């Protein structure tokens, strides 16, 4: 009597088994919660980039930043450098935080990424490639609530939808299959990361998650000048 009773090995194994079962039951829920949080951070990033885009225009007589200038690097594929190109971009003085340029879920899929967002090609025509095109002004956007400003891309292409994963800072979404990719990895129904949603911010500043076909439609307006 008086002896401290220790756990037997069988009791200890039973406790471990119960804990393992609980963890297995909870992990999809925990994983979902992490992904929800990351999707919220992504939308916050896009909102901040959108604010910088509009602030930039306000400082430049209403002219939006060039699609290849908002992040540096020109037409080269600079989404996985050490962050140099986002610091060289025209929006950097207004953003000044590297983490704002990359979606946390994207970073989990491509850990070397320094940028996961691209600007709607139709907003900022590029004198480097299209010398006769004018850069777009905020006043030319007739329905800002239906016009994509900046959207998230995928690191990989999807057969039949996109020919390349994320490359330069422009999101060119015209005819299928698209040259550029549209993000599909946010909150997929199952494990298929090609079936989820893209982070996107519209030109009225509202950020949300959109399915790929709608993201594409939001890149264009039928009465675009
Ligand atoms: Zn995202």
């Amino acid at each position: 009597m008086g002896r401290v009773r220790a756990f037997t090995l069988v009791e200890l194994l039973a406790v471990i088994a119960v804990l393992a079962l609980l963890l297995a039951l909870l992990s999809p829920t925990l994983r979902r919660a992490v992904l929800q949080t990351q999707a919220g951070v992504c939308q916050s990033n896009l909102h901040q980039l959108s604010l910088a885009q509009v602030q930039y225009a306000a400082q430049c007589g209403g002219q939006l930043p060039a699609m290849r200038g908002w992040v540096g690097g020109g037409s080269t594929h600079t989404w996985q450098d050490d962050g140099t190109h986002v610091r060289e971009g025209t929006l950097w003085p207004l953003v000044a935080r590297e983490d704002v340029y990359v979606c946390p879920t994207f970073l989990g899929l491509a850990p070397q990424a320094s940028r996961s967002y691209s600007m709607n090609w139709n907003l900022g025509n590029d004198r480097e490639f299209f010398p006769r095109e004018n850069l777009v002004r905020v006043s030319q956007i007739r329905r800002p609530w239906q016009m994509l400003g900046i959207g998230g891309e995928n690191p990989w292409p999807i057969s039949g939808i996109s020919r390349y994963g994320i490359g330069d800072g422009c999101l060119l979404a015209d005819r299928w299959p698209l040259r550029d990719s549209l993000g599909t990895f946010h909150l997929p129904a199952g494990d298929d990361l090609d079936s989820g949603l893209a982070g996107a911010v519209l030109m009225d500043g509202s950020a949300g998650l959109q399915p790929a076909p709608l993201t594409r439609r939001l890149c264009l307006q039928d009465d675009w000048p």
Side-chain angles (χ1 to χ4, degrees):
M1 298 300 285
R3 190 164 63 92
V4 177
R5 187 183 179 279
F7 280 114
T8 66
L9 185 60
V10 172
E11 284 168 339
L12 197 62
L13 287 174
V15 168
I16 289 169
V18 168
L19 284 177
L21 181 67
L22 273 176
L23 202 63
L25 288 173
L26 282 174
S27 68
T29 314
L30 290 174
R31 196 178 128 70
R32 191 83 186 162
V34 168
L35 291 176
Q36 291 271 12
T37 306
Q38 289 178 339
V41 172
C42 178
Q43 289 167 79
S44 163
N45 287 348
L46 283 160
H47 184 65
Q48 288 177 68
L49 292 173
S50 171
L51 280 175
Q53 190 183 22
V54 173
Q55 270 180 280
Y56 175 94
Q59 293 168 4
C60 297
Q63 185 174 279
L64 288 162
M67 62 186 174
R68 282 198 168 87
W70 80 281
V71 288
S75 55
T76 55
H77 291 187
T78 47
W79 60 277
Q80 45 187 350
D81 68 1
D82 61 357
T84 302
H85 76 289
V86 298
R87 292 191 303 270
E88 287 173 348
T90 49
L91 295 190
W92 176 255
L94 299 164
V95 179
R97 267 182 53 192
E98 284 176 33
D99 60 325
V100 171
Y101 287 83
V102 60
C103 165
T105 308
F106 187 106
L107 197 58
L109 300 165
Q112 73 279 35
S114 54
R115 175 177 55 82
S116 67
Y117 305 116
S118 294
M119 186 174 291
N120 183 358
W121 168 284
N122 297 289
L123 285 182
N125 293 316
D126 189 334
R127 291 200 181 96
E128 181 190 350
F129 287 86
F130 303 97
R132 284 175 299 175
E133 303 267 10
N134 290 318
L135 293 166
V136 171
R137 292 173 181 279
V138 173
S139 58
Q140 289 176 283
I141 300 166
R142 291 169 208 169
R143 296 190 299 276
W145 60 92
Q146 289 177 349
M147 177 61 86
L148 188 98
I150 297 170
E153 292 201 57
N154 272 0
W156 60 82
I158 301 175
S159 174
I161 295 182
S162 47
R163 282 185 279 154
Y164 302 101
I166 188 170
D168 59 22
C170 324
L171 182 52
L172 174 54
D174 47 4
R175 59 188 79 83
W176 298 105
L178 306 177
R179 191 182 338 199
D180 292 333
S181 64
L182 299 170
T184 59
F185 53 77
H186 277 302
L187 309 180
D191 291 331
D192 181 9
L193 293 177
D194 290 354
S195 72
L197 305 169
V201 65
L202 305 179
M203 286 308 292
D204 67 355
S206 59
L209 298 176
Q210 312 279 5
L214 183 59
T215 312
R216 174 185 169 257
R217 197 141 49 79
L218 290 167
C219 285
L220 306 160
Q221 277 186 5
D222 45 15
D223 57 352
W224 189 244

